[in-house]
């Protein structure tokens, strides 16, 4: 441009774009830092040293710890471990009591139907199928959710979750995703469907789609019973009873960290293939720490989350219970359909270090992951309804001594449980949020493909090394 030339608006914009590219990716953060530093300097000159300033300094000291580049992530993992340990240690007794009460109702109803002369198949279908599926989901899901969601909401109300997003922002930005995805991922620990809905906080359509498609890689509440069972049988059993629950909780935390790793990896792959684009930066003003509001915690965790998620799970568990009962009570020759289909699936299951019963279980459990364990036990025992074991020792004898499960089976089942397709509720939620059958299909099949690939590689390498 010359002094006599008056640039047009398009030329000014083009010149701005050229200069923008020369600034590099961190100019926005540097600009924000400068603005906040200047604001802090002005505030220090204009504001007296009163209680508010002291509270601000306390917040700043805490933030220097919890958002520290060195201590921030370890503190986050410790807090996560404590939440899982409290959930694991606290949910067993109320789950057993709830199951006992609900199954007592089932027994009374079956006795009443028998006394009234109702045909056995109607009694079995209604009470041993549909009702038992509902009772199982309620007894398995309700206590952990009633512990996990209030603890999660306390951290949310305290103002800690924005710090989590701050700590993980650089990882998601490198993966081509948005820092707010850390918050939606955290919601996925409770329920992946809720995590998918939470992606509405991300403004960029591309980055929101990345967050939707990868939310399934963090285990939801429905998958924790399977992970806890495997961690207890294959990890906790190796330690003394005093440390068994801690070791089991540590193994579950390890799976969670692995899930975060897959979330970042798949976000990176998506942002460089079918969802190619540059990650947008975001400026997050960390809110002040505040005392948690008990009323809000109870309402948010119990009404908005626990009961809402439980209600949707019950709607999907009822038909699943009916299907399970039909498969277990309809015969093909001298074998039940469960045994026949499991036999068909056995070669596929063996190829990835599992077996046909586990494959069939995960097909049946598409509506709700919570029914994986009882369905598996039912198929192994050959009973006509979902069955629970009275103790983990009995379950270990069934799986390890009678069915020949090995460490490879346990490891691969943990991996498959972490990575496989989302439940029916989450798939429907993906469709409703994207209004696209294509993205809902990708959201279902992409994690399933990853699960098969990872388990196949693990099984192949393990057999090559040890067999």
């Amino acid at each position: 441009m010359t002094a006599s030339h008056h640039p047009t608006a398009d030329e000014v914009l083009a010149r701005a774009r050229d200069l923008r590219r020369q600034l590099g990716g961190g100019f926005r953060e540097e600009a924000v830092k400068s603005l906040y530093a200047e604001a802090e300097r002005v505030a220090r000159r204009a504001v007296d040293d009163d209680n508010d300033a002291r509270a601000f300094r306390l917040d700043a000291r805490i933030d220097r710890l919890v958002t520290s580049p060195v201590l921030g992530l370890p503190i986050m993992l410790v807090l996560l471990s404590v939440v899982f340990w409290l959930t694991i240690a606290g949910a067993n007794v109320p789950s057993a009591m709830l199951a006992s009460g609900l199954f007592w109702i089932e027994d009374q109803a079956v006795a009443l139907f028998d006394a009234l002369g109702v045909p056995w198949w109607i009694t079995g279908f209604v009470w041993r199928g549909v009702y038992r599926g509902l009772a199982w989901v309620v007894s398995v899901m309700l206590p952990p959710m009633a512990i996990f969601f209030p603890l999660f909401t306390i951290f949310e109300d305290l103002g800690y979750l924005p710090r989590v997003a701050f700590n993980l922002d650089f990882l998601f930005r490198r993966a081509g995703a948005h820092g707010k995805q850390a918050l939606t991922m955290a919601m996925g620990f409770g329920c992946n469907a809720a995590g998918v809905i939470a992606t509405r906080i991300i403004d960029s359509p591309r980055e929101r789609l990345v967050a939707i498609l990868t939310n399934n890689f963090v285990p939801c509440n429905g998958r924790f019973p399977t992970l806890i069972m495997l961690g207890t049988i294959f990890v906790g059993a190796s330690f003394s009873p005093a440390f068994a629950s801690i070791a089991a909780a540590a193994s579950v935390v390890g799976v969670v960290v692995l899930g975060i790793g897959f979330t970042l990896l798949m976000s990176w792959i998506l942002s460089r293939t079918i969802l190619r684009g540059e990650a947008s930066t975001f400026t997050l003003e960390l809110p002040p720490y505040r005392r948690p509001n008990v009323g809000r915690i109870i309402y948010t965790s119990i009404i908005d989350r626990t009961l809402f998620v439980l209600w949707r799970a019950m709607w999907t568990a009822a038909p699943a219970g009916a299907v399970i009962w039909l498969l277990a009570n309809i015969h093909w020759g001298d074998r039940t359909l469960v045994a026949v289909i499991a036999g068909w699936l056995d070669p596929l299951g063996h190829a990835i270090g599992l077996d046909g019963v586990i494959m069939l279980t995960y097909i049946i459990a598409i509506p709700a992951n919570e029914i994986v364990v009882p369905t598996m036990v039912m198929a192994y025992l050959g009973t006509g309804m979902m069955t629970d074991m009275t103790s983990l020792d009995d379950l270990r004898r069934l799986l390890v001594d009678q069915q020949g499960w090995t460490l490879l089976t346990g490891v691969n089942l943990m991996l498959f449980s972490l990575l496989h397709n989302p439940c029916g509720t989450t798939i429907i939620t993906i469709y409703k949020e994207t209004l696209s059958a294509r993205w809902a299909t990708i959201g279902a099949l992409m994690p399933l493909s990853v699960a098969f690939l990872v388990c196949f590689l693990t099984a192949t390498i393990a057999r090559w090394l040890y067999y």
Side-chain angles (χ1 to χ4, degrees):
M1 297 178 197
T2 63
S4 58
H5 174 67
H6 297 285
T8 64
D10 288 340
E11 289 173 333
V12 171
L13 290 174
R15 179 62 176 158
R17 283 194 292 271
D18 290 340
L19 293 173
R20 162 71 179 83
R21 280 193 285 270
Q22 296 173 20
L23 289 172
F27 86 96
R28 183 181 174 88
E29 287 83 354
E30 294 303 320
V32 171
K33 284 180 184 175
S34 299
L35 287 173
Y36 271 80
E38 181 64 14
E40 186 178 356
R41 187 185 65 79
V42 172
R44 195 177 295 119
R45 291 177 55 188
V47 179
D48 291 333
D49 185 20
D50 55 11
N51 290 334
D52 288 342
R54 283 194 290 276
F56 175 77
R57 286 202 299 272
L58 178 61
D59 282 6
R61 288 195 190 99
I62 297 174
D63 275 342
R64 275 197 286 274
L65 279 177
V66 299
T67 63
S68 159
V70 177
L71 297 176
L73 290 179
I75 289 174
M76 188 183 70
L77 288 177
V78 169
L79 292 175
L80 190 64
S81 301
V82 171
V83 169
F84 283 127
W85 179 77
L86 289 173
T87 304
I88 290 171
N92 289 335
V93 173
S95 277
M97 293 173 64
L98 200 54
S100 177
L102 292 173
F103 293 151
W104 179 84
I105 294 174
E106 176 190 320
D107 291 338
Q108 305 310 306
V110 169
L112 176 63
F113 270 46
D114 289 343
L116 294 174
V118 177
W120 71 269
W121 57 272
I122 293 180
T123 304
F125 182 81
V126 173
W127 292 105
R128 304 297 193 193
V130 176
Y131 176 83
R132 177 160 284 227
L134 288 172
W136 185 265
V137 167
V138 171
S139 60
V140 170
M141 284 189 70
L142 185 55
M145 284 197 302
I147 297 173
F148 179 83
F149 279 138
L151 292 174
F152 185 83
T153 310
I154 287 173
F155 283 120
E156 189 179 42
D157 216 37
L158 194 63
Y160 181 66
L161 289 191
R163 273 81 182 174
V164 172
F166 180 85
N167 288 336
L168 296 176
D169 176 51
F170 77 101
L171 291 174
F172 280 100
R173 195 168 61 238
R174 289 180 183 178
H178 199 287
K180 287 182 182 176
Q181 188 175 334
L183 293 174
T184 65
M185 183 185 69
M187 288 298 299
F189 287 128
C191 172
N192 291 130
V196 169
I197 293 173
T199 60
R200 292 175 185 177
I201 64 175
I202 300 174
D203 297 325
S204 161
R206 183 192 74 82
E207 289 163 341
R208 184 177 176 228
L209 205 46
V210 171
I212 288 174
L213 296 178
T214 57
N215 192 272
N216 183 65
F217 290 110
V218 291
C220 67
N221 194 57
R223 283 180 273 178
F224 281 127
T226 306
L227 295 174
I228 291 169
M229 176 203 78
L230 294 168
T232 305
I233 289 179
F234 289 97
V235 180
S238 303
F239 292 80
S240 65
F243 297 100
S245 60
I246 296 175
S251 68
V252 176
V253 171
V255 172
V256 169
V257 172
L258 188 63
I260 294 174
F262 271 101
T263 301
L264 292 167
L265 174 64
M266 295 310 297
S267 297
W268 184 84
I269 293 174
L270 286 171
S271 64
R272 282 158 180 78
T273 53
I274 59 175
L275 291 173
R276 189 179 296 110
E278 185 180 350
S280 62
T281 58
F282 83 108
T283 303
L284 178 64
E285 185 174 358
L286 297 179
Y289 291 102
R290 55 182 180 268
R291 185 176 300 171
N293 184 304
V294 176
R296 185 163 55 234
I297 289 173
I298 293 174
Y299 181 85
T300 303
S301 61
I302 302 300
I303 305 297
D304 270 7
R305 292 175 178 165
T306 303
L307 295 183
F308 178 69
V309 173
L310 184 66
W311 179 248
R312 288 195 309 191
M314 289 171 64
W315 272 103
T316 55
V323 170
I324 292 167
W325 188 88
L326 290 172
L327 290 176
N329 288 276
I330 296 177
H331 287 70
W332 181 286
D334 58 348
R335 303 168 68 198
T336 65
L337 288 181
V338 168
V340 172
I341 298 173
W344 292 342
L345 294 172
D346 207 44
L348 176 63
H350 181 74
I352 60 171
L354 304 175
D355 63 26
V357 167
I358 299 174
M359 291 288 94
L360 174 61
T361 298
Y362 273 93
I363 293 173
I364 294 174
I366 286 176
N369 287 297
E370 294 76 12
I371 58 177
V372 164
V373 175
T375 305
M376 200 181 300
V377 173
M378 175 200 75
Y380 280 136
L381 292 176
T383 60
M385 55 188 173
M386 284 192 292
T387 307
D388 188 23
M389 306 300 289
T390 55
S391 71
L392 284 173
D393 287 337
D394 291 340
L395 190 57
R396 179 181 173 79
R397 277 192 287 274
L398 172 67
L399 300 179
V400 178
D401 300 339
Q402 299 175 25
Q403 300 301 324
W405 278 30
T406 62
L407 182 60
L408 174 63
T409 314
V411 169
N412 270 20
L413 185 50
M414 289 186 96
L415 290 171
F416 196 81
S417 179
L418 170 70
L419 302 172
H420 77 288
N421 56 280
C423 70
T425 303
T426 304
I427 295 172
I428 293 171
T429 304
I430 293 174
Y431 174 75
K432 287 183 177 178
E433 291 297 312
T434 61
L435 298 177
S436 166
R438 175 187 173 222
W439 290 120
T441 304
I442 292 175
L445 295 183
M446 182 186 72
L448 186 63
S449 304
V450 173
F452 272 101
L453 178 62
V454 170
C455 289
F456 175 75
L457 291 175
T458 307
T460 302
I461 293 172
R463 286 166 181 152
W464 181 65
L465 289 176
Y466 298 106
Y467 296 98

